[in-house]
Amino acid sequence: MTEKMAATSLTKFVRCVILDLDGTLLNTDGIVGNVLKVLLSRYGKQWDGRETHKIVGKTPFEAAAAVVEDYQLPCSTIEFVSQISPLFSDQWCNIKALPGANRLLKHLKNHGVPMALASNSPRESIEAKISYHDGWKSSFSVIIGGDEVRTGKPSPDMFLEAAKRLSMEPSSCLVIEDSLPGVTAGKAAEMQVVAVPSLPKHSHLYTAADEVINSLLDLRLEKWGLPPFEDWVDGTLPLDPWYIGGPVIKGFGRGSKVLGIPTANLSTKGYSDLLAEHPSGVYFGWAGLSSRGVFKMVMSIGWNPYFDNKEKTIEPWLLHKFDEDFYGEELRLVIVGYIRSEANFPSLESLIAKIHEDGEIAEKALELPLYSSYKNDPYLRSS
Ligand code: ADP
Ligand code: RBF
Ligand code: MG
């Protein structure tokens, strides 16, 4: 038996799913950063975001303790918690679902797969946060907050209690978690654990997880014996369309054109929130160039692991042969679907081969009515 087959046959099939909330289903990180910025400025300090990894997955008290210590604040952890709590409560209505969260909950609900929500946040905060998302509360047969067990994650208590209330054996539970404490808790509970790290470039730390994926869009439920998603079409996942545009700027000058894959770079200035909202990966859609027309397009968003970029960039390859460059021209993109997560490659040849495969997938998919209708989107032609 090959190693891969052995690994597959060792995968335990599950019957229910236990989900974490913040960073897994909800995009809480931005809100946390904003609130800390406000509160720390009252102490004359500046939140720089670099400590985010120290608070992800912690209980509110532990996270507060870490900040109080790191910034040497002249207050107790309890005082800090009481100051920050109302600031958070004010923001709960602004927290967006992470890409793929609604899709996952709907799918599991439709297929009658029992779901539990297990979060280090207090029960009351969980209820408040999910109340802003239609259909979420009724998706969960069990909800457990950090204040309902003796010890929060990384202790397994919360997950074991969830399994008990679902009347499931721990080995029949799949945990989906973004944080390291959450993954530790899931493994300590002897459950299967899929990690979806919420912080970029941290995936190498999640060795304890049974699988590490980049976003919920990459979840393959059939791996765990659960009903597979049925929305993939010819290697593509339809998305709610989103829009980005601007003048074409100089990119990294790596000579991608020589490789046959020129990418018309857009400035990321003014789009950082939009880019942060979308997981890195390969997407496709339509590209409008002000004086030239509308063309098929496939693009990568992210850090290009092969080149280890420091900034999240957007790199659209227009699937058309142009006789000249078009730097400075207005480029409008409508992104309609997802193909895969970014990968690293052992050689430049294998990276190029994969990008060409992406191009073929996009080329074909964009003929489907589902995607071709966006070719006429007025956004692509107005400038
Ligand atoms: P840079 O590093 O400056 O982005 P590239 O080698 O990626 O350089 O080339 C990108 C440039 O090539 C684009 O800005 C555009 O002017 C031109 N170009 C020509 N054909 C295409 C195409 N099919 N898709 C994208 N850009 C193209
Ligand atoms: N770079 C990577 O490091 N990993 C990838 O998986 C990857 N996929 C890409 C897919 C497409 C469709 C395109 C256009 C680019 C991709 N790139 C990827 C980015 C590539 O490294 C980069 O665009 C060029 O080499 C210019 O920097
Ligand atoms: Mg480029």
Side-chain angles (χ1 to χ4, degrees), residues 248-258 261-265 315-322 324-327:
V248 175
I249 60 164
K250 282 271 178 195
F252 293 97
R254 291 199 188 105
S256 331
K257 215 178 319 183
V258 184
I261 319 165
T263 55
N265 296 68
E315 309 244 354
W317 176 29
L318 277 53
L319 300 171
H320 180 83
K321 179 95 193 64
F322 295 91
E324 52 183 9
D325 288 349
F326 40 82
Y327 289 110

Coordinates of all heavy atoms in Angstrom, one line a residue, residues 248-258 261-265 315-322 324-327, ligand 1:
V248 N -3.4 49.9 -14.5 CA -2.4 48.8 -14.5 C -1.1 49.4 -14.1 O -0.6 50.4 -14.7 CB -2.3 48.1 -15.8 CG1 -1.2 47.1 -15.8 CG2 -3.6 47.5 -16.2
I249 N -0.5 48.8 -13.0 CA 0.8 49.3 -12.6 C 2.0 48.3 -12.9 O 1.7 47.2 -13.2 CB 0.8 49.7 -11.1 CG1 0.5 48.4 -10.3 CG2 -0.2 50.8 -10.7 CD1 0.8 48.5 -8.8
K250 N 3.2 48.8 -12.7 CA 4.3 47.9 -12.8 C 4.3 46.8 -11.7 O 4.0 47.2 -10.5 CB 5.6 48.7 -12.7 CG 6.0 49.4 -14.0 CD 6.8 48.5 -14.9 CE 7.2 49.2 -16.2 NZ 7.6 48.3 -17.2
G251 N 4.5 45.6 -12.0 CA 4.5 44.5 -11.0 C 5.9 44.3 -10.4 O 6.7 45.2 -10.3
F252 N 6.2 43.1 -10.2 CA 7.5 42.7 -9.6 C 8.6 42.7 -10.7 O 9.8 42.6 -10.3 CB 7.4 41.4 -8.9 CG 6.6 41.4 -7.7 CD1 5.2 41.0 -7.7 CD2 7.0 41.9 -6.5 CE1 4.4 41.0 -6.6 CE2 6.2 42.0 -5.4 CZ 4.9 41.5 -5.4
G253 N 8.2 42.7 -11.9 CA 9.2 42.7 -13.0 C 10.0 41.4 -13.0 O 11.2 41.4 -13.1
R254 N 9.3 40.3 -12.7 CA 10.0 39.0 -12.7 C 10.1 38.4 -14.0 O 10.5 37.2 -14.2 CB 9.3 38.0 -11.7 CG 9.4 38.5 -10.3 CD 9.0 37.3 -9.4 NE 8.9 37.7 -8.0 CZ 7.8 37.8 -7.4 NH1 6.6 37.5 -8.0 NH2 7.8 38.3 -6.1
G255 N 9.6 39.1 -15.0 CA 9.6 38.6 -16.4 C 8.6 37.5 -16.6 O 8.8 36.5 -17.3
S256 N 7.5 37.6 -15.9 CA 6.4 36.6 -16.1 C 6.0 36.5 -17.5 O 5.6 35.5 -18.0 CB 5.2 37.0 -15.3 OG 5.5 37.8 -14.2
K257 N 6.1 37.7 -18.2 CA 5.7 37.7 -19.6 C 6.6 36.7 -20.5 O 6.1 36.0 -21.3 CB 6.0 39.1 -20.2 CG 5.0 39.6 -21.2 CD 5.2 41.0 -21.6 CE 5.6 41.9 -20.5 NZ 5.7 43.3 -20.9
V258 N 7.9 36.7 -20.1 CA 8.8 35.8 -20.8 C 8.3 34.3 -20.6 O 8.5 33.5 -21.4 CB 10.2 36.0 -20.3 CG1 11.2 35.1 -21.1 CG2 10.6 37.5 -20.4
I261 N 3.2 34.2 -19.0 CA 2.1 34.5 -18.1 C 2.2 35.9 -17.6 O 2.5 36.1 -16.4 CB 2.1 33.5 -16.8 CG1 2.5 32.1 -17.2 CG2 0.8 33.5 -16.1 CD1 2.9 31.2 -16.1
P262 N 2.0 36.9 -18.4 CA 2.1 38.3 -17.9 C 0.9 38.5 -17.0 O -0.2 38.0 -17.3 CB 1.9 39.1 -19.2 CG 1.3 38.2 -20.2 CD 1.6 36.8 -19.9
T263 N 1.1 39.2 -15.9 CA 0.0 39.5 -15.0 C -0.1 41.1 -14.9 O 0.9 41.7 -14.5 CB 0.2 38.9 -13.6 OG1 1.5 39.3 -13.1 CG2 0.1 37.4 -13.7
A264 N -1.2 41.6 -15.2 CA -1.5 43.0 -15.2 C -1.8 43.5 -13.7 O -2.9 43.3 -13.3 CB -2.6 43.4 -16.1
N265 N -0.8 43.9 -13.0 CA -1.0 44.2 -11.6 C -1.8 45.5 -11.3 O -1.7 46.4 -12.0 CB 0.4 44.3 -10.9 CG 1.2 43.0 -11.0 OD1 1.6 42.6 -12.1 ND2 1.3 42.4 -9.9
E315 N -2.9 39.4 -9.0 CA -2.1 39.2 -10.3 C -3.0 38.6 -11.4 O -3.1 37.4 -11.5 CB -1.0 38.2 -10.0 CG -0.1 38.5 -8.9 CD 1.3 38.9 -9.3 OE1 1.6 38.7 -10.5 OE2 2.1 39.3 -8.4
P316 N -3.7 39.5 -12.1 CA -4.6 38.9 -13.2 C -3.9 38.7 -14.5 O -3.2 39.5 -15.0 CB -5.6 40.1 -13.4 CG -5.2 41.2 -12.5 CD -3.8 40.9 -12.0
W317 N -4.1 37.5 -15.0 CA -3.6 37.1 -16.3 C -4.8 37.1 -17.3 O -5.7 36.3 -17.1 CB -2.9 35.7 -16.2 CG -2.4 35.1 -17.5 CD1 -2.0 35.8 -18.6 CD2 -2.4 33.7 -17.9 NE1 -1.6 35.0 -19.6 CE2 -1.8 33.7 -19.2 CE3 -2.7 32.5 -17.2 CZ2 -1.6 32.4 -19.9 CZ3 -2.5 31.3 -17.9 CH2 -1.9 31.3 -19.2
L318 N -4.7 38.0 -18.3 CA -5.8 38.0 -19.2 C -5.6 37.0 -20.3 O -4.5 36.8 -20.8 CB -5.9 39.4 -19.9 CG -6.6 40.5 -19.1 CD1 -6.1 40.7 -17.7 CD2 -6.6 41.9 -19.8
L319 N -6.6 36.2 -20.6 CA -6.5 35.0 -21.5 C -6.7 35.5 -22.9 O -7.7 35.1 -23.6 CB -7.5 33.9 -21.0 CG -7.2 33.4 -19.6 CD1 -8.3 32.5 -19.2 CD2 -5.9 32.7 -19.5
H320 N -5.8 36.3 -23.4 CA -5.9 36.9 -24.7 C -4.5 37.3 -25.1 O -3.7 37.7 -24.2 CB -6.8 38.1 -24.7 CG -6.9 38.8 -26.0 ND1 -7.8 38.4 -27.0 CD2 -6.3 39.9 -26.5 CE1 -7.7 39.2 -28.0 NE2 -6.8 40.1 -27.8
K321 N -4.2 37.2 -26.4 CA -2.8 37.6 -26.9 C -2.9 39.0 -27.3 O -3.6 39.4 -28.2 CB -2.5 36.7 -28.1 CG -1.1 36.9 -28.7 CD -0.1 36.0 -28.2 CE 1.3 36.5 -28.6 NZ 1.7 37.8 -28.0
F322 N -2.1 39.9 -26.6 CA -2.0 41.3 -26.9 C -0.7 41.6 -27.6 O 0.3 40.9 -27.3 CB -2.1 42.2 -25.6 CG -3.4 42.1 -24.9 CD1 -3.6 41.1 -23.9 CD2 -4.5 42.9 -25.2 CE1 -4.8 41.0 -23.2 CE2 -5.7 42.8 -24.6 CZ -5.9 41.9 -23.6
E324 N 0.8 44.5 -27.5 CA 1.6 45.5 -26.7 C 1.2 45.5 -25.3 O 0.2 45.0 -24.9 CB 1.3 46.9 -27.4 CG -0.2 47.1 -27.5 CD -0.6 48.4 -28.1 OE1 0.3 49.1 -28.7 OE2 -1.7 48.8 -28.1
D325 N 2.0 46.2 -24.5 CA 1.7 46.3 -23.1 C 0.6 47.4 -22.9 O 0.3 48.2 -23.8 CB 2.9 46.8 -22.3 CG 4.0 45.7 -22.2 OD1 3.6 44.6 -22.5 OD2 5.1 46.0 -21.8
F326 N -0.1 47.4 -21.8 CA -1.1 48.4 -21.5 C -1.0 48.9 -20.1 O -2.0 49.2 -19.4 CB -2.5 47.8 -21.8 CG -2.7 46.4 -21.3 CD1 -3.0 46.1 -20.0 CD2 -2.6 45.3 -22.2 CE1 -3.2 44.8 -19.5 CE2 -2.8 44.0 -21.7 CZ -3.1 43.7 -20.4
Y327 N 0.2 49.2 -19.7 CA 0.5 49.9 -18.4 C -0.3 51.2 -18.4 O -0.4 51.9 -19.4 CB 2.0 50.2 -18.2 CG 2.8 48.9 -17.9 CD1 3.7 48.5 -18.9 CD2 2.6 48.2 -16.7 CE1 4.4 47.3 -18.6 CE2 3.4 47.1 -16.5 CZ 4.3 46.6 -17.4 OH 5.0 45.5 -17.2
Ligands
ADP1 P1 5.0 43.3 -14.3 O1 6.0 42.7 -13.4 O2 5.3 44.7 -14.6 O3 3.6 43.0 -14.0 P2 4.7 41.2 -16.3 O4 5.8 40.4 -16.9 O5 3.8 40.5 -15.4 O6 5.3 42.5 -15.7 O7 3.9 41.8 -17.5 C1 2.6 42.4 -17.3 C2 2.3 43.4 -18.3 O8 2.2 42.8 -19.6 C3 0.9 44.0 -18.1 O9 1.0 45.1 -17.2 C4 0.4 44.4 -19.4 O10 0.8 45.7 -19.7 C5 1.1 43.4 -20.4 N1 0.3 42.3 -20.9 C6 0.4 41.9 -22.2 N2 -0.4 40.8 -22.3 C7 -1.0 40.6 -21.2 C8 -2.0 39.6 -20.7 N3 -2.5 38.7 -21.6 N4 -2.4 39.6 -19.4 C9 -1.9 40.6 -18.6 N5 -1.0 41.5 -18.9 C10 -0.5 41.5 -20.2

